[in-house]
């Protein structure tokens, strides 16, 4: 029972069984091995889309060049999928047992989890009984649910999206009215005119709506207005007015509303997570106080015993243990003191570098001061800049020469000199900081790896100069590899420029917080792809097409199709970027039905309008948070501090702490923890 109350750093709910056997199961279930195994299972079941029929196991997705691909025999992917479904059943059973039947009935996600697994197993049985010859696999549409239900942050994000939709409905409606209004004006303005505008873009209502909707994304600008504008420049007023109002006003207003509403709802979700942590701390105090010397205090020895057994990052465990040991003389802690020691979970981790090595010789001490000075980094950056300039100069001089005419001797000697300097610089830093201190800086690790690669590549280049050597790599390819590594090494300037370091740190943190957004996008991609899998192949139409300028056929967009999952991902990504997306929409509406336009418009709204704007909101929030925190920091402080930014940490300073009455009220509603 003691161990259960300290699972606070993951913001988990404490509404689960608290007996000894259940707590052992709880610890095993949330262990790193078990959670990684569950994540691997989800990854495998999602990746089955690449190897299931139609497979993506081909070099090219172009039906003109695609060779016959290997199709897995019936039962291979089905066996893998059944193993995954069995693991999901075990996962559901453990979760259900830990929270109890009453809590299970309240959990919509667990009920949905049960239904998805049940439908998937039934569909799997039907598929096997039909020898894998079924036309539709319903369970494919349900697979993204496994990814969604396993991530609490992803569920929060989806809930925020759901709550944000009504708030932006007014702008969507205004955008639709704007589109319809200009569509009617355009059909009246260009009614059977001689300039071709009516024939190409305003022939009927569907064509007019499509043309202006694509113009809203600027994908067909200025093509859509050229026929009219070529005869009378006054026609440009119509298209400019449409773009200014729709693209620059309404679409940007939509972005602002999405950002504001999403931030508010995400703040509410994060606030709930913070309350869970505070509730866990309060529950831990209540449980431990029952075993202590007094009713409203806990024994320090008991807290230290619990912390020695808890599964937690070593940094936080040691910090909390040190804070608890401060009360060892008294022997007990009250509620405020107990809560204070766990405030360390809310703090950023400061990366401490190892101490510098100690040298007895005054000469070595002086050299250590020189080699560890900040100006040495500046000088190294200047040398790297000179190296890049020299490479650019040689490339410009050799740009008009063939490979055989190029004289690589100058570039080789120049690279050798710079590589020797980089190696000498690395040795100086190792001498000044020691191996542990040198490796404690991420930019030093980057510099060292690139320097070693440069040295190895240069040695290989020297071996290639031997007349008796005949390798698969040409001299010019080896020279290019060396210079590409040198160009990458120039990225070492990033930590030494404050704003650039801030931007780079923001990008790195986005990778950690992007899992929820990327997962939702993958979920939508899977659903969208699997919903059109049966009737959108381009395999049989490559020999019968028109060559009208700007069409799918004339632009040779054949590799962009729905013939397999990998090709579909690229096609949906191209539509999300909205560059020339009208070509895909036009082609699929011609070869299938007009409803294909609705399909592409829905994907554009989901991905480009909603998801991209949410991603922009995350970037803005992350950057503003970092900018405010590092505004008073120097360049060395930005390098010294390793920001471990999470969504909870970003909103920490605007959260409101729950009151004691709120915590006690929720604590007494615990289904399994009955306190007096």
């Amino acid at each position: 029972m003691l161990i259960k109350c300290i699972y606070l750093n993951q913001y988990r709910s404490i509404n689960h069984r608290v007996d000894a056997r259940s707590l052992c199961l709880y610890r095993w279930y949330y262990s790193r091995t078990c959670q990684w195994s569950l994540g691997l299972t989800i990854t495998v079941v999602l990746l089955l889309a690449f190897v299931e029929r139609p497979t993506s196991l081909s070099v090219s997705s172009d039906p003109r060049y695609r060779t016959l691909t290997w199709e897995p025999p019936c039962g291979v992917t089905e066996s893998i999928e059944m193993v995954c479904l069995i693991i999901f059943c075990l996962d559901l059973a453990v979760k259900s047992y830990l929270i109890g039947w009453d809590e299970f009935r309240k959990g919509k996600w667990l009920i949905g989890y049960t239904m998805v697994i049940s439908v998937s197993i039934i569909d799997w049985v039907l598929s096997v009984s039909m020898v894998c010859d079924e036309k539709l696999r319903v369970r494919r549409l349900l697979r993204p649910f496994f990814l969604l239900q396993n991530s609490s942050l992803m569920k929060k994000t989806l809930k925020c999206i759901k709550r944000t939709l009504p708030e932006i409905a007014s702008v969507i409606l205004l955008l639709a009215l704007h589109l319809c209004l200009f569509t009617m004006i355009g059909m009246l303005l260009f009614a059977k005119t001689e300039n071709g505008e009516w024939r190409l873009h305003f022939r009927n209502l569907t064509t007019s709506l499509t043309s202006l909707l694509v113009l809203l994304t600027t994908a067909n600008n200025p093509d859509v207005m050229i026929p009219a504008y070529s005869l009378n420049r006054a026609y440009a007023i119509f298209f400019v007015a449409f773009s200014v109002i729709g693209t620059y006003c309404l679409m940007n207003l939509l972005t602002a509303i999405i950002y504001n509403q999403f931030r508010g709802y995400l703040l509410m979700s994060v606030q709930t997570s913070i309350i869970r942590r505070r509730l866990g701390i309060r529950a831990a105090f209540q449980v431990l106080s029952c075993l202590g010397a007094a009713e409203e205090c806990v024994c320090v020895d008991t807290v230290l015993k619990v912390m020695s057994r808890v599964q937690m990052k070593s940094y936080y465990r040691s910090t909390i243990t040190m804070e608890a040991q401060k009360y060892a003389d008294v022997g007990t802690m009250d509620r405020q003191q107990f809560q204070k020691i766990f405030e360390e979970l809310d703090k950023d981790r400061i990366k401490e570098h190892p101490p510098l090595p100690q040298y007895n010789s005054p000469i070595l001490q002086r050299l250590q001061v020189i080699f560890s000075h900040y100006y040495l980094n500046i000088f190294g950056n200047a040398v790297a800049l000179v190296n890049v300039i020299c490479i650019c100069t040689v490339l410009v001089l050799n740009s008009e020469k063939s490979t055989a005419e190029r004289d690589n001797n100058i570039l080789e000697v120049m690279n050798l000199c710079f590589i020797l300097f980089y190696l000498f610089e690395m040795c100086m830093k190792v001498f000044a900081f020691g191996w542990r201190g040198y490796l404690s800086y991420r930019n030093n690790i980057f510099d060292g790896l690139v320097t070693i690669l440069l040295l190895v590549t240069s040695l290989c280049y020297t071996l290639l100069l031997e007349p008796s050597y005949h390798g698969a790599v040409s001299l010019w390819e080896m020279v290019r590899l060396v210079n590409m590594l040198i160009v990458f090494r120039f990225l070492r300037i990033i930590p030494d420029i404050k704003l650039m370091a801030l931007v780079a740190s923001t990008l790195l943190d986005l990778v950690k917080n992007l899992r929820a957004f990327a997962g939702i996008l993958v979920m939508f991609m899977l659903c969208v792809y699997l919903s059109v899998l049966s009737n959108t192949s381009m395999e049989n139409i490559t020999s019968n097409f028109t060559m009208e300028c700007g069409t799918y056929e004339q632009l040779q967009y054949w590799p962009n199709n729905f013939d397999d999952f990998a090709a579909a991902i690229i096609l949906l990504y191209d539509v999300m970027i909205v560059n020339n997306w009208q070509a895909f929409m036009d082609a699929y509406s011609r070869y299938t039905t007009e409803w294909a336009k609705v399909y592409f418009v829905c994907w554009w709204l989901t991905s480009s309008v909603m998801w991209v704007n949410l991603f922009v909101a995350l970037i803005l929030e992350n950057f503003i948070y970092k900018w405010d925190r590092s505004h008073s920091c120097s360049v060395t402080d930005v390098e010294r501090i390793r920001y471990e930014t999470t969504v909870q940490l970003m909103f920490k300073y605007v959260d409101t702490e729950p009151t004691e009455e709120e915590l006690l009220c929720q604590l007494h509603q615990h289904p399994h923890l009955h306190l007096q």
Side-chain angles (χ1 to χ4, degrees), residues 598-613:
V598 178
Y599 165 81
F600 282 104
V601 170
C602 290
W603 171 247
W604 167 72
L605 287 172
T606 302
S607 61
S608 184
V609 175
M610 286 297 302
W611 187 87
V612 171
N613 283 324

Side-chain angles (χ1 to χ4, degrees), residues 1-8 14-18 23 26-27 283-284 287 670 673:
M1 183 175 291
L2 302 180
I3 303 299
K4 163 258 178 192
C5 299
I6 315 296
Y7 283 97
L8 309 172
I14 66 170
N15 295 328
H16 55 79
R17 298 179 187 271
V18 294
L23 290 177
Y26 184 89
R27 291 189 66 184
V287 171
H670 194 287
L673 186 63

